[in-house]
Amino acid sequence: MKKIVIANRGEIAIRIMKTAHKMGIKTVAIYSTVDRDAPHVKLANEAVCIGEAPSNQSYLLGSKIIDVAKKLDADAIHPGYGFLSENADFAKEVEENNLIFIGPKPKAIKIMGSKLAAKEAVKAYDIPMVPGIDEAITNVTKAKVIASEIGYPILIKASAGGGGKGMRIVEQESNFESQMERAISEATSAFGDGSVFIEKYIASPRHIEIQVMADSHGNIIHLFERECSIQRRHQKVVEEAPSSVLTPQLRAKMGEAAIKVAKACDYRGAGTVEFLLDGNNNFYFLEMNTRLQVEHPVTELITNTDLVELQIKVARGESLGIQQEDLVINGHALELRVYAEDPLHDFLPSVGHLDTYKIPTGKGIRVDNGFEEGMDIPIYYDPMLAKLITYGKTREEAIQIMITAIDNYKIKAIETTLSFGKFVCKHEAFTSGNFDTHFVKKYYTSDAIESSNHEDAKIAAIIALKHYLEDQKKLRLPIH
């Protein structure tokens, strides 16, 4: 493998390029007209404009991306995450054009892309699943009967969905019909498929995911867990590894279950198996993401591995070269997704010009970044600017380094999730490890951040006054 096309943009494109270059592999960037001067374009060995700014006119044009790869004699395409990364038809087309798709086989993507097909595939492996129906449904009357049998509260989820779309929690029967109709309507407009399924709603879950890696020689390993319970609108904002609640026994059980899920669909490459963990430490299979995850850096830091490098090696047909017993957890890592969103106004997008953009540096700090000072933030794509990752020998140290790093991250002219990240890191529920996916609903308000900012300003003023008075004393010392 001598040349790879990166079918993505921003921080993940840069992240893949860094590893490819380290391995002596040339990279080709694709870009839309609005991304012409983006950092990922500058870092690549070659770059090709793929189309206009909207992603359906650029980054989602699979056939056009394949044409670019063939014209430039590339060997492979890495999809990153988002865009075409979980598109089975694209993966198939890549292979049909004698190119390597750096990811799983189309069949695995297809099975795990449908929550219902995924549940069907793992059934034979005795993996715990949330009580519910294992068929897609659009008939409201029939669904109501099923919901009563499962028992409220229940969760209605879009079969083809993700990112919280087409998802409704129903506490009581009287609300069922209206919520079901809204879920079907939302799923139809978001995914072109209105079918939903119904399952028991786990009231206070934690969202725990297991990183797996499989080669084409039958070797499958797991690289432990990531805790992803701090979410807004069902999307993760703060992630960490390892989880503060998993015992070694529970970790081993969940890791084994994740490996079985990978076996169930003949998996190859990097994948993530997601579980819900209830208050009694029972875990339930949720879904499998057939790609690299946004939060993969925390796993890399605690296992001292390069997951992109492993992806490339597996895609080249090499064996993993790592046994399960070789892997140990070393230290603790946290990740904050730095979104261009306003935490004081319900996390609404905050687009604009990056007048000031300076990233923190120092021991234990890693920033996977996609922007630079002077750039505009495009309205067409996901609003994530970067991922701020910190590493420490202990969880407490990683949290403290994160707070310092947030303070040293300088962004002006737009709002970001940095202040929210600091709020999380200082909150007793988070520091104690006693939190679940309802953290935002339970503890977070815009007033909480404003009062935290006010407290920080007060402390800073007291420190400044103390330094000033000490300086004044020194100045008044008599000279002998």
Side-chain angles (χ1 to χ4, degrees), residues 254-452:
M254 291 179 80
E256 195 48 51
I259 286 171
K260 284 179 181 173
V261 171
K263 278 182 182 159
C265 63
D266 192 22
Y267 202 76
R268 182 197 72 183
T272 295
V273 183
E274 308 212 351
F275 295 99
L276 286 181
L277 183 74
D278 71 15
N280 299 316
N281 282 351
N282 300 306
F283 64 90
Y284 305 97
F285 170 67
L286 194 59
E287 63 184 345
M288 183 178 196
N289 289 315
T290 54
R291 53 172 167 81
L292 198 65
Q293 291 278 84
V294 175
E295 56 275 18
H296 75 273
V298 294
T299 296
E300 293 185 321
L301 289 170
I302 66 156
T303 57
N304 195 29
T305 54
D306 181 333
L307 293 177
V308 175
E309 185 177 343
L310 286 175
Q311 277 189 304
I312 292 169
K313 284 180 172 177
V314 163
R316 292 198 296 214
E318 295 175 30
S319 64
L320 280 172
I322 304 172
Q323 306 292 321
Q324 190 64 54
E325 51 272 22
D326 297 335
L327 291 161
V328 290
I329 295 172
N330 184 18
H332 200 97
L334 286 181
E335 175 179 294
L336 168 64
R337 300 188 188 192
V338 184
Y339 284 112
E341 292 178 345
D342 187 353
L344 297 180
H345 295 95
D346 199 28
F347 296 95
L348 287 170
S350 172
V351 293
H353 186 75
L354 286 171
D355 292 344
T356 300
Y357 189 74
K358 291 186 169 52
I359 61 175
T361 56
K363 189 171 184 280
I365 296 170
R366 165 177 164 179
V367 184
D368 283 16
N369 179 40
F371 282 81
E372 53 192 30
E373 201 165 85
M375 283 179 70
D376 288 316
I377 297 159
I379 57 168
Y380 304 97
Y381 316 115
D382 183 274
M384 191 164 69
L385 302 175
K387 298 176 318 203
L388 175 57
I389 309 118
T390 59
Y391 173 81
K393 291 187 200 74
T394 63
R395 186 170 187 263
E396 293 72 22
E397 188 183 349
I399 290 171
Q400 286 311 311
I401 295 171
M402 177 63 80
I403 292 167
T404 305
I406 289 169
D407 286 340
N408 292 326
Y409 209 132
K410 304 299 177 201
I411 303 179
K412 282 187 186 158
I414 60 152
E415 300 302 321
T416 72
T417 47
L418 284 167
S419 59
F420 173 73
K422 189 170 179 182
F423 168 81
V424 172
C425 285
K426 292 180 119 179
H427 199 283
E428 194 271 334
F430 183 74
T431 55
S432 69
N434 185 23
F435 60 93
D436 56 35
T437 53
H438 303 310
F439 177 91
V440 169
K441 194 163 78 175
K442 280 183 189 167
Y443 306 114
Y444 175 71
T445 60
S446 54
D447 290 348
I449 278 199
E450 284 180 323
S451 96
S452 173

Side-chain angles (χ1 to χ4, degrees), residues 192-254:
D193 177 358
S195 57
V196 297
F197 65 96
I198 296 164
E199 63 186 30
K200 182 78 179 164
Y201 177 62
I202 308 295
S204 297
R206 292 177 82 115
H207 187 135
I208 307 282
E209 60 188 33
I210 306 281
Q211 174 73 56
V212 294
M213 185 68 76
D215 63 24
S216 47
H217 305 278
N219 303 305
I220 310 174
I221 56 168
H222 72 82
L223 294 95
F224 313 113
E225 81 280 2
R226 294 186 286 260
E227 166 79 68
C228 305
S229 299
I230 306 289
Q231 307 178 357
R232 53 100 181 90
R233 295 196 293 271
H234 300 290
Q235 290 186 315
K236 306 159 190 169
V237 190
V238 177
E239 300 107 342
E240 61 179 312
S243 166
S244 58
V245 290
L246 260 59
T247 61
Q249 293 79 7
L250 185 55
R251 178 172 292 122
K253 270 175 80 175
M254 291 179 80

Side-chain angles (χ1 to χ4, degrees), residues 19 46 48-51 65 105 110 156 213 224 231 262 341 411 438 459 478:
T19 286
E46 297 171 81
V48 177
C49 182
I50 201 80
I65 294 166
K105 293 285 181 192
K110 195 163 190 173
I156 303 169
M213 185 68 76
F224 313 113
Q231 307 178 357
E341 292 178 345
I411 303 179
H438 303 310
I459 292 164

Side-chain angles (χ1 to χ4, degrees), residues 164-208:
K165 292 185 177 72
M167 193 184 280
R168 287 280 180 278
I169 298 158
V170 187
E171 304 278 356
Q172 55 204 39
E173 193 171 351
S174 57
N175 299 333
F176 181 81
E177 285 184 33
S178 63
Q179 295 288 16
M180 177 81 177
E181 279 159 8
R182 283 169 86 177
I184 290 170
S185 161
E186 206 173 290
T188 305
S189 63
F191 311 111
D193 177 358
S195 57
V196 297
F197 65 96
I198 296 164
E199 63 186 30
K200 182 78 179 164
Y201 177 62
I202 308 295
S204 297
R206 292 177 82 115
H207 187 135
I208 307 282

